């Protein structure tokens, strides 16, 4: 057992336990936090695979942005666990069916011999000055440029749709418009009147 | 160093000895960064009180001294404050979630310290010289918001939760502008490594620093940095006139102090990053004799001190922004400016080589 193995098992155990915690925890805030923990340990595992760009991006995008909003929503909701559990046994067969299908699909992929050690030998370690980021950029902008552009367009459409869905002006409420407020000049509000000084006779 | 490594290898065998040596060496280097940093944090609080006091024509802390030396009056204040904070009781509210309540300050300070791993202090002085240094910094600074959100939620108090909500929305919005400003920097330097970014600014004088071609981005980064650290005039997360003390209203003693330390550690971090990415890091302002004799580390410290002074100056000068104005500034002003600048920069980089090598452009491209 080398040092790397110890690091791997350390991350792997935390990852599995925190992933289990996500689905078993009763408090949704704990679930979200455990999901954050599993993302971070997953990034650690990716670092061991020398995929530093992907590992750091995972932390940056999912932990730094997506999970913040997630946690936020979970905290704002007043979740009543008793009401959530009401229909548990009624829906159990349906859920079990989906779980079985999922397990079968994963088993087909993982046991199909596509991921054995003979199919995927351990990658040879790269030199210290090898830039993962540069290689990734080169691949994305040459070989996979159409797929990349397509993904970008889909994301843009989703963003425009999300903004269009929420952008509506409420007529029944008065609210300040900061752009108008900061554009105000003193001449708009204040009129200086010149007048001759009065004198007491 | 080699002797110590040999000692470790003799004690624990070649495999384990060298591994343990790396671990112990890294821990020692981490301490060598964190202890001066925490001292810097302590004295930044002192500097803040003194600077703001003199701006408001007051004296500031002038009592606590070391061994009764008269000209050190006030310099013992941060130490006295720390001792006071340690002695105080940590009150945990009855309705609070105890585990998260204690965890929140720890989560706040950990990323503020962890980000220092990739910061280069001079060409040779860096703990981890990784390729994706800039990304790592962005990832670490984006983690700090968890502490604020958790503190707000775990306190089980309306005011704390309002502060957490404000902070989360603000930090997530300004992170985008910050990220885009840094995209400009890495377009110029063509590297994510912080050492390479500084080396890309090498030249005859300060004209070569990214401050000049990326001046709007420098402003965006500085202001977003102030917003990210929840400092005045963007300190609506605390907003003592509206929501008491915001997310840390229920914290006391050392738990509160850890939040306080994290805020100042983040300030120093943002100041350091600004110096590295826009002000030439360890490079002297003129590459000629009297300036080059000063070690690079000193130049970096001077630049950090200057940016930190700006932070304190902002706090003494500007009134607090209103919340909707903060959001407008982030989304409707900064993000369009940064996107426009990325476009302009990309256009300039695609110009023919002969144009790029003609006068002012050849300074930077």
């Amino acid at each position: 057992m080398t040092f790397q193995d110890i690091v791997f098992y350390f991350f792997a155990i935390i990852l599995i336990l925190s992933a289990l915690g996500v689905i078993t925890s009763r408090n949704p805030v704990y679930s979200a936090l455990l999901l954050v923990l599993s993302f971070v340990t997953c990034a650690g595992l990716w670092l061991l695979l020398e995929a530093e760009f992907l590992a750091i991006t995972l932390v940056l995008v999912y932990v730094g942005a997506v999970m913040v909003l997630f946690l936020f929503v979970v905290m704002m909701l007043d979740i009543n666990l008793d009401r959530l559990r009401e229909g548990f046994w009624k829906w159990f067969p349906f859920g079990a069916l989906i779980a079985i299908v999922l397990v079968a699909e994963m088993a087909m992929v993982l046991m199909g011999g596509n991921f054995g050690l003979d199919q995927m030998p351990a990658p040879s370690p790269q030199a210290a000055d090898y830039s993962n980021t540069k290689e990734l950029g080169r691949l994305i902008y040459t070989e996979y440029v159409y797929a990349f552009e397509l993904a970008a367009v889909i994301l843009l459409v989703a963003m425009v749709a999300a903004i269009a869905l929420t952008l509506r002006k409420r007529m029944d409420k008065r609210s300040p418009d900061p752009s108008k407020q900061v554009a105000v000049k003193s001449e708009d509000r204040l009129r200086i009147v010149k007048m001759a000084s009065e004198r007491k006779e | 160093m080699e002797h110590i490594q040999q000692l470790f290898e003799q004690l624990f065998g070649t495999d384990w000895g060298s591994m343990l040596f790396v671990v112990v060496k890294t821990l020692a280097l981490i301490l060598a960064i964190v202890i001066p940093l925490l001292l810097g944090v302590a004295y930044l609080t002192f500097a803040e009180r003194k600077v703001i006091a003199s701006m408001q024509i007051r004296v500031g802390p002038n009592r606590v001294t070391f061994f009764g030396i008269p000209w050190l009056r006030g310099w013992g204040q941060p130490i006295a404050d720390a001792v006071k904070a340690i002695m105080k009781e940590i009150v945990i509210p009855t309705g609070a979630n105890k585990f998260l309540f204690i965890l929140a300050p720890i989560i706040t300070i950990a990323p503020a310290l962890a980000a220092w791993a990739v910061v280069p202090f001079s060409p040779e002085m860096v703990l981890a010289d990784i390729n994706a240094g800039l990304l790592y910094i962005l990832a670490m600074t984006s983690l700090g918001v968890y502490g604020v959100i958790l503190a707000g939620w775990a306190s089980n108090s309306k005011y704390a939760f309002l502060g957490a909500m404000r902070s989360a929305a603000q930090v997530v919005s300004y992170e985008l502008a910050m990220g885009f400003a840094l995209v400009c920097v890495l377009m110029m330097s063509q590297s994510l490594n912080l050492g390479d970014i500084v080396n890309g600014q090498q030249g005859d004088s300060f004209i070569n620093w990214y401050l000049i071609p990326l001046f709007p981005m420098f402003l965006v980064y500085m202001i977003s940095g102030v917003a990210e650290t929840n400092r005045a005039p963007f300190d609506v997360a605390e907003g003592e006139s509206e929501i008491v003390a915001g997310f840390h209203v229920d914290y006391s003693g050392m738990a509160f102090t850890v939040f306080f330390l994290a805020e100042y550690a983040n300030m120093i971090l943002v100041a350091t990053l600004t110096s590295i990415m826009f002000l030439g890091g360890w490079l002297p302002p003129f590459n000629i004799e009297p300036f080059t004799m000063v070690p690079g580390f000193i130049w970096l410290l001077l630049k950090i001190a200057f940016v930190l002074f700006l932070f304190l100056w902002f706090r003494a000068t500007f009134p607090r922004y209103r919340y909707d104005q903060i959001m407008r500034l982030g989304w409707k002003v900064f993000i369009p400016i940064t996107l426009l600048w990325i476009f302009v920069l990309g256009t300039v980089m695609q110009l023919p080589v002969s144009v790029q090598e003609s006068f002012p452009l050849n300074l930077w491209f």
Side-chain angles (χ1 to χ4, degrees):
Chain A
M1 195 133 116
T2 62
F3 186 70
Q4 268 188 339
D5 290 344
I6 293 180
V7 176
F8 171 78
Y9 284 118
F10 177 73
F11 279 132
I13 289 169
I14 294 182
L15 177 58
I16 292 171
L17 288 183
S18 58
L20 278 176
V22 173
I23 49 173
T24 53
S25 163
R26 282 166 165 247
N27 187 339
V29 173
Y30 279 129
S31 287
L33 287 174
L34 283 167
L35 192 55
V36 169
L37 182 62
S38 53
F39 276 137
V40 173
T41 43
C42 194
L45 285 182
W46 288 6
L47 274 181
L48 278 182
L49 289 171
E50 300 185 13
E52 83 263 8
F53 182 82
L54 291 178
I56 298 175
T57 314
L58 178 75
V59 174
L60 179 61
V61 175
Y62 283 92
V63 179
V66 175
M67 285 313 292
V68 173
L69 298 179
F70 226 87
L71 193 63
F72 207 62
V73 173
V74 166
M75 282 176 176
M76 304 266 279
L77 297 176
D78 186 22
I79 295 175
N80 190 344
L81 274 178
D82 289 332
R83 232 186 28 226
L84 277 180
R85 293 160 151 273
E86 251 169 26
F88 182 77
W89 287 110
K90 197 175 128 200
W91 291 100
F92 181 75
F94 185 64
L97 187 72
I98 291 182
I100 288 169
V101 170
L102 266 178
V103 168
E105 275 179 352
M106 279 173 75
M108 269 156 70
V109 172
L110 292 176
M111 290 173 161
N114 293 322
F115 292 101
L117 273 181
D118 46 331
Q119 294 286 329
M120 298 224 170
S124 55
Q126 304 283 357
D129 59 342
Y130 174 81
S131 175
N132 194 303
T133 318
K134 221 170 236 171
E135 285 305 311
L136 205 67
R138 194 167 290 145
L139 271 181
I140 283 180
Y141 286 101
T142 55
E143 243 177 90
Y144 299 107
V145 67
Y146 290 119
F148 180 65
E149 298 279 335
L150 212 62
V153 170
I154 290 172
L155 281 176
L156 183 69
V157 170
M159 200 166 82
V160 171
I163 293 173
L165 280 176
T166 51
L167 189 71
R168 54 173 190 272
K169 199 147 179 83
R170 280 183 61 179
M171 289 315 215
D172 56 338
K173 120 181 175 244
R174 288 161 64 90
S175 61
D177 181 358
S179 13
K180 271 188 198 156
Q181 289 179 326
V182 293
V184 163
K185 298 228 165 36
S186 60
E187 296 94 73
D188 304 341
R189 296 271 171 91
L190 188 74
R191 193 162 56 95
I192 297 177
V193 183
K194 283 246 185 271
M195 56 186 293
S197 54
E198 290 174 31
R199 263 168 80 184
K200 231 177 219 173
E201 288 300 320
Chain B
M1 271 295 166
E2 281 167 16
H3 291 292
I4 305 173
Q5 189 172 6
Q6 277 169 5
L7 181 75
F8 267 88
E9 280 172 12
Q10 279 163 9
L11 279 177
F12 303 102
T14 35
D15 279 357
W16 285 97
S18 53
M19 279 303 169
L20 273 176
F21 172 72
V22 170
V23 171
V24 170
K25 193 179 101 176
T26 315
L27 281 179
L29 287 177
I30 289 171
L31 280 184
I33 294 176
V34 167
I35 290 174
L37 178 67
L38 288 181
L39 269 180
V41 165
Y43 275 90
L44 181 58
T45 61
F46 177 62
E48 175 169 44
R49 292 173 70 180
K50 273 292 191 191
V51 166
I52 293 181
S54 68
M55 281 178 183
Q56 297 166 345
I57 325 183
R58 294 184 285 117
V59 181
N62 67 341
R63 297 286 140 169
V64 191
T65 173
F66 294 111
F67 313 114
I69 305 171
W71 52 271
L72 276 180
R73 288 222 167 148
W75 284 82
Q77 190 67 46
I79 313 290
D81 285 342
V83 171
K84 183 192 79 176
I86 292 169
M87 312 276 270
K88 280 197 165 183
E89 183 188 359
I90 298 178
V91 182
I92 298 180
T94 329
N97 184 324
K98 230 173 235 173
F99 176 66
L100 292 182
F101 190 81
I102 300 292
L103 191 70
I106 301 170
I107 289 190
T108 313
I109 199 161
L113 298 180
W116 286 85
V118 296
V119 171
F121 298 100
S122 74
E124 303 85 28
M125 273 165 67
V126 52
L127 178 63
D129 193 11
I130 63 173
N131 272 322
L134 197 61
L135 264 183
Y136 174 80
I137 294 258
L138 272 178
M140 282 301 129
T141 48
S142 66
L143 290 185
V145 67
Y146 277 100
V148 177
I149 299 183
L150 284 183
W153 186 78
S155 303
N156 197 16
S157 144
K158 281 191 198 78
Y159 295 116
F161 193 60
L162 279 174
M165 269 165 67
R166 288 177 170 199
S167 170
Q170 175 183 328
V171 170
V172 170
S173 328
Y174 277 82
E175 225 156 62
L176 285 175
M178 209 173 192
F180 279 132
L182 294 186
V183 165
C184 288
V185 172
L186 70 95
M187 277 168 85
M188 294 281 294
S189 65
Q190 305 188 348
S191 171
L192 282 167
N193 183 309
L194 290 175
D196 287 349
I197 289 175
V198 176
N199 284 328
Q201 305 177 53
Q202 197 119 36
D204 291 332
S205 67
F206 65 90
I207 303 280
N208 290 75
W209 295 353
Y210 292 154
L211 175 69
I212 313 284
L214 298 180
F215 189 68
M217 295 303 101
F218 168 70
L219 293 183
V220 168
Y221 185 80
M222 266 298 290
I223 299 172
S224 307
V226 179
E228 281 263 311
T229 48
N230 288 324
R231 291 279 304 173
F234 298 101
D235 59 344
V236 288
E238 292 177 38
E240 51 279 80
S241 53
E242 304 148 23
I243 47 173
V244 199
F247 62 95
H248 55 51
V249 64
D250 280 319
Y251 281 85
S252 61
M254 208 54 208
F256 165 75
T257 313
V258 171
F259 275 119
F260 197 67
L261 293 180
E263 180 183 326
Y264 284 82
N266 271 323
M267 266 168 78
I268 301 182
L269 181 70
V270 170
T272 311
L273 294 178
T274 313
S275 321
I276 285 174
M277 275 176 288
F278 296 98
L279 303 177
W282 61 75
L283 300 173
F286 295 98
N287 207 4
I288 45 174
E289 191 50 31
F291 295 100
T292 47
M293 280 157 72
V294 179
F297 183 59
I298 304 289
W299 281 121
L300 183 65
L301 280 188
L302 284 176
K303 287 166 187 171
I304 296 172
F306 171 71
V307 180
L308 282 175
F309 179 74
L310 291 183
F311 268 89
L312 307 184
W313 198 358
F314 292 155
R315 178 169 172 192
T317 311
F318 296 119
R320 186 175 297 134
Y321 255 88
R322 210 177 59 206
Y323 188 69
D324 57 334
Q325 289 174 337
I326 290 182
M327 282 296 147
R328 173 181 167 271
L329 187 70
W331 289 98
K332 291 189 180 170
V333 179
F334 281 172
I335 291 178
I337 290 180
T338 47
L339 287 177
L340 185 76
W341 210 256
I342 289 176
F343 183 74
V344 169
L345 206 60
T347 317
V348 173
M349 287 172 78
Q350 289 302 316
L351 287 177
V353 181
S354 55
V355 182
Q356 273 188 19
E357 284 175 355
S358 60
F359 179 57
L361 286 183
N362 66 354
L363 285 170
W364 308 298
F365 292 99

